[in-house]
């Protein structure tokens, strides 16, 4: 089980969190083409290595935050609040 | 290829087992191939075999970054079934079951396909309605599936607990009698041996590091850890690493890769006659011919390429196993491992051409690819040979996401499959 550093509460066990998928995926505008909608809804970088993703501390503070985690080692490189620019 | 038979076995038994050949050559890469398959699992090796056998291609290579069958082919729980809800899926998975039925004879290699039946347990009203709908849909599609009462389920699988006081009581079960298991390693080895006999080069320890395209955008070759290899026809069959490979050709995929776990117990005498699955409390179990209980757990919540899963995921499954089969409560688990599964948004696979001429992809099998191995390989070989999909895999294209024609087995099963 991972220990996840919530930027509000500190390190907590993984089972307190829910996963929110890839971070910084920008919503397609209302007049987007089918291809743009497909990219927004379905296509993900699914990167092997450093990956920006969203988590929610569902059974803690309840807040969403972003993380950068290495998907090969599962090591959390950093977590940061929504709206913050990663270091 | 040296033919395996009762006569050959007897002959070798009398001559000290000294006359067996290598089952496939340890090929070194040639400068160019007519077709290259990236990924030496069951699906990839099978694709090469059918390309050579049914479509007459002779100059084919299978590139594998590790050893063949060392990825998800060697890591799954070997369950084979075709009781999927939608017409497209039933046709696809039943095509595979029909090929499984003749596979050992076709490959002259015993893949130990055993149609011992798969029992899918229902624990509540919702399960019962969903499974009965599956039973009816399957029968309309010519796929066998039947509904059993808890007592009938227990008589089919005597270790099953249907007693009072269970937290998740068994309210019935769907049974597919033609479903079962096969020996996973034998599938990789059997396809490798048969493909090699048709001239396919199986190149291990050869990792693809780049995909080359010519001025028109068409595939022109691959860069690998063992040098550049030219080809104009490239098939990606790389399960969890598909997104990584497709990114080398500039393609973003509708895939996410998750660790999926399995575990086996210490070996015991034959005790468990079939495969039992419970989607609701999440457990899969069968017994291998070696005697180990083979148990499938769930996926982790997050994307990972680590090939290991968290302990709380497998503990959760073992709790379910202990409740369903109290006789296993004191069993010891011997090994636990993870594989990386590539999951699509609708939990249905992609077997298709891509926007890049000469590039084909077979992926998105998620948590249930082993069962489809021969069907997937056969249809992907057809697609690569003819540059158009077979009728059965035509719906499993990349365009379905943009067009909204999802084959939503995720919603149908309500869990990963």
């Amino acid at each position: 089980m991972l220990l996840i550093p919530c930027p509000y509460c500190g390190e907590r066990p993984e089972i307190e969190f829910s996963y929110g998928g890839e971070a910084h995926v920008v919503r397609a505008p209302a007049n987007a083409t089918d291809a743009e909608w497909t990219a927004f809804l379905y296509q993900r970088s699914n990167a092997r290595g450093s990956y920006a993703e969203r988590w929610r501390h569902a059974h803690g503070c309840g807040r969403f935050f972003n993380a950068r985690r290495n998907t090969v080692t599962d090591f959390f490189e950093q977590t940061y609040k929504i709206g913050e620019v990663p270091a | 290829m040296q033919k395996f038979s009762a006569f050959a076995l007897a002959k070798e038994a009398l001559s000290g087992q000294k006359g067996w050949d290598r089952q496939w050559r340890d090929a070194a890469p040639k400068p160019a191939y007519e077709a290259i398959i990236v990924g030496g699992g069951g699906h990839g090796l099978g694709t090469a075999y059918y390309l050579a056998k049914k479509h007459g291609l002779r100059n084919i290579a299978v590139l594998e970054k590790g050893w063949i069958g060392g990825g998800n082919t060697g890591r799954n729980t070997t369950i084979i079934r075709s009781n999927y809800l939608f017409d497209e899926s039933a046709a696809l998975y039943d095509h595979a079951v029909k090929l499984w039925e003749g596979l050992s004879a076709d490959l002259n290699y015993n893949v130990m396909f055993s149609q011992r039946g798969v029992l899918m347990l229902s624990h509540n009203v919702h399960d019962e309605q969903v499974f009965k709908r599956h039973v009816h849909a399957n029968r309309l599609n010519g796929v066998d599936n039947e509904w059993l009462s808890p007592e009938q389920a227990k008589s089919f699988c005597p270790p099953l607990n249907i007693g009072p006081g269970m937290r998740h009581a068994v309210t019935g079960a769907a049974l597919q009698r033609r479903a079962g298991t096969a020996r996973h390693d034998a599938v990789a080895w059997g396809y490798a041996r048969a493909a090699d006999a048709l001239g396919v080069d199986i190149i291990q320890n050869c990792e693809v590091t780049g995909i080359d395209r010519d001025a028109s955008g068409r595939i022109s070759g691959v860069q690998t850890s063992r040098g550049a290899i030219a080809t104009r026809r490239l098939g990606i069959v790389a399960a969890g690493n598909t997104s990584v490979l497709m990114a080398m050709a500039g393609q973003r995929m509708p895939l996410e890769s998750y660790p999926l776990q399995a575990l086996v117990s210490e070996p015991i005498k034959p005790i468990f006659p079939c495969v039992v699955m419970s989607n609701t409390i999440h457990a899969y179990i069968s017994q291998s011919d070696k005697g180990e209980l083979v148990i499938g757990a769930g996926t982790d919540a997050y994307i990972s390429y680590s090939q290991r899963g968290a302990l709380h995921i497998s503990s959760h499954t073992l709790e379910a196993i202990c409740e369903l089969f109290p006789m296993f409560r004191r069993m010891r688990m011997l090994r636990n491992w993870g594989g990386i599964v590539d999951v699509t948004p609708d939990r249905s696979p992609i077997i298709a051409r891509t926007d890049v001429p000469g590039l084909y992809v077979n992926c998105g099998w998620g948590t249930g690819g082993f069962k489809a191995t021969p069907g997937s390989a056969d249809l992907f070989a057809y697609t690569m040979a003819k540059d158009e999909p077979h009728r059965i895999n035509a719906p499993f294209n990349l365009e379905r996401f943009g067009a909204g024609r999802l084959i939503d087995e995720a919603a149908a099963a309500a869990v990963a499959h």
Side-chain angles (χ1 to χ4, degrees):
Chain A
M1 191 180 303
L2 306 178
L3 274 179
I4 301 177
C6 170
Y8 301 96
C9 312
E11 276 194 347
R12 296 295 179 89
E14 176 196 333
I15 47 169
E16 291 186 11
F17 295 82
S18 57
Y19 189 60
E22 185 163 17
H24 311 304
V25 176
V26 179
R27 186 181 172 84
N31 60 353
T33 62
D34 282 358
E36 287 166 338
W37 269 109
T38 309
F40 163 65
L41 283 173
Y42 298 119
Q43 291 170 2
R44 297 292 178 264
S45 69
N46 196 23
R48 187 186 171 101
S50 189
Y51 193 61
E53 60 192 10
R54 294 182 304 173
W55 286 85
R56 179 167 175 257
H57 194 182
H59 302 289
C61 63
R63 282 189 271 198
F64 273 99
F65 59 91
N66 291 322
R68 190 160 271 285
R69 182 176 56 93
N70 185 308
T71 58
V72 178
T73 61
D74 292 338
F75 177 76
F76 277 86
E77 291 158 7
Q78 63 175 145
T79 55
Y80 48 99
K81 295 172 184 172
I82 298 289
E84 282 181 357
V85 180
Chain B
M1 182 173 82
Q2 193 176 19
K3 196 168 162 59
F4 292 150
S5 64
F7 174 72
L9 271 178
K11 186 171 148 244
E12 288 303 324
L14 293 174
S15 59
Q17 311 286 353
K18 299 262 168 60
W20 298 114
D21 294 340
R22 283 185 77 104
Q23 295 190 27
W24 57 86
R25 292 164 295 127
D26 184 19
K30 287 192 274 193
Y33 289 95
E34 208 175 334
I36 288 180
I37 311 291
V38 182
H43 292 239
L45 293 163
T47 302
Y49 169 70
Y50 292 116
L51 271 174
K53 186 187 173 214
K54 288 187 159 180
H55 304 286
L57 273 71
R58 278 296 173 268
N59 198 13
I60 306 169
V62 177
L63 308 184
E64 165 55 49
K65 73 172 175 180
W67 62 96
I68 60 166
N72 294 348
T73 298
R75 292 165 187 264
N76 67 87
T77 52
T78 78
I79 299 171
I80 294 162
R81 61 185 179 88
S82 60
N83 50 355
Y84 282 74
L85 180 65
F86 294 111
D87 297 351
E88 297 89 342
S89 316
L92 176 68
Y93 290 101
D94 213 48
H95 178 62
V97 169
K98 284 173 188 151
L99 287 172
W100 278 115
E101 286 170 342
L103 193 62
S104 290
D106 184 26
L107 299 178
N108 179 231
Y109 202 99
N110 187 3
V111 299
M112 297 164 76
F113 179 49
S114 161
Q115 291 175 299
R116 59 185 69 181
V118 170
L119 205 55
M120 297 180 77
L121 301 179
S122 139
H123 299 279
N124 52 46
V125 174
H126 172 78
D127 281 355
E128 205 165 318
Q129 289 170 342
V130 167
F131 286 157
K132 283 182 177 168
R133 185 180 172 209
H134 273 71
V135 168
H136 296 312
N138 289 159
R139 292 169 89 153
L140 287 171
N141 276 317
V143 175
D144 76 299
N145 199 355
E146 60 197 271
W147 179 255
L148 303 186
S149 69
E151 293 72 26
Q152 287 170 318
K154 181 158 180 73
S155 106
F156 189 75
C157 181
L160 181 65
N161 178 17
I162 57 167
M166 288 181 74
R167 184 168 173 210
H168 299 281
V170 175
T171 63
L175 169 65
Q176 186 181 20
R177 291 182 192 270
R178 283 165 65 235
T181 60
R183 171 96 170 99
H184 51 358
D185 294 326
V187 175
W189 299 336
Y191 272 125
R193 172 172 167 271
D196 178 83
L198 294 169
V200 173
D201 279 357
I202 295 162
I203 303 163
Q204 303 184 80
N205 301 310
C206 182
E207 182 173 359
V208 170
T209 54
I211 294 176
D212 299 332
R213 296 165 70 178
D214 64 18
S216 72
R218 191 184 167 87
I219 294 295
S220 61
V222 288
Q223 301 292 325
T224 77
S225 55
R226 298 177 68 174
I229 310 174
T231 190
R232 293 180 59 75
R233 214 170 338 198
L234 182 64
I236 307 289
V237 200
N241 284 296
T242 303
S243 296
V244 178
L245 281 157
M246 292 297 280
M248 294 175 191
Q251 304 296 298
R252 271 171 77 86
M253 297 296 290
L255 293 173
E256 291 188 309
S257 295
Y258 295 94
L260 177 68
Q261 287 183 75
L263 53 167
V264 294
S265 73
E266 55 193 339
I268 50 172
K269 287 183 178 176
I271 185 70
F272 205 76
C274 60
V275 180
V276 175
M277 306 176 54
S278 167
N279 289 347
T280 300
I281 56 176
H282 216 285
Y284 316 121
I285 182 168
S286 63
Q287 188 175 18
S288 73
D289 291 321
K290 219 174 359 176
E292 300 158 326
L293 297 176
V294 182
I295 295 167
T299 53
D300 281 291
Y302 47 85
I303 287 173
S304 178
Y305 290 83
S306 63
Q307 290 191 315
R308 59 178 177 262
L311 186 61
H312 68 275
I313 304 283
S314 44
S315 306
H316 178 71
T317 289
L318 290 175
E319 285 162 14
I321 294 290
C322 289
E323 170 149 306
L324 290 171
F325 309 102
M327 66 192 291
F328 295 148
R329 278 185 182 162
R330 293 169 66 191
M331 290 285 294
R332 281 166 297 194
M333 292 298 132
L334 209 58
R335 284 176 287 127
N336 174 209
W337 64 91
I340 301 303
V341 299
D342 47 327
V343 176
T344 57
D346 60 359
R347 303 297 189 274
S348 286
I350 297 162
I351 315 166
R353 289 189 305 182
T354 68
D355 289 340
V356 179
L359 180 64
Y360 305 85
V361 68
N362 184 352
C363 65
W365 291 96
T367 58
F370 178 75
K371 65 172 78 71
T373 304
S376 150
D378 180 42
L379 297 167
F380 193 48
Y382 184 102
T383 306
M384 284 185 69
K386 304 206 183 290
D387 194 34
E388 62 177 21
H390 186 279
R391 175 180 52 78
I392 296 176
N393 69 308
F396 296 90
N397 54 34
L398 272 164
E399 292 77 32
R400 72 176 188 263
F401 300 100
R405 285 192 297 268
L406 302 185
I407 304 162
D408 205 349
E409 292 292 342
V415 293
H417 52 88

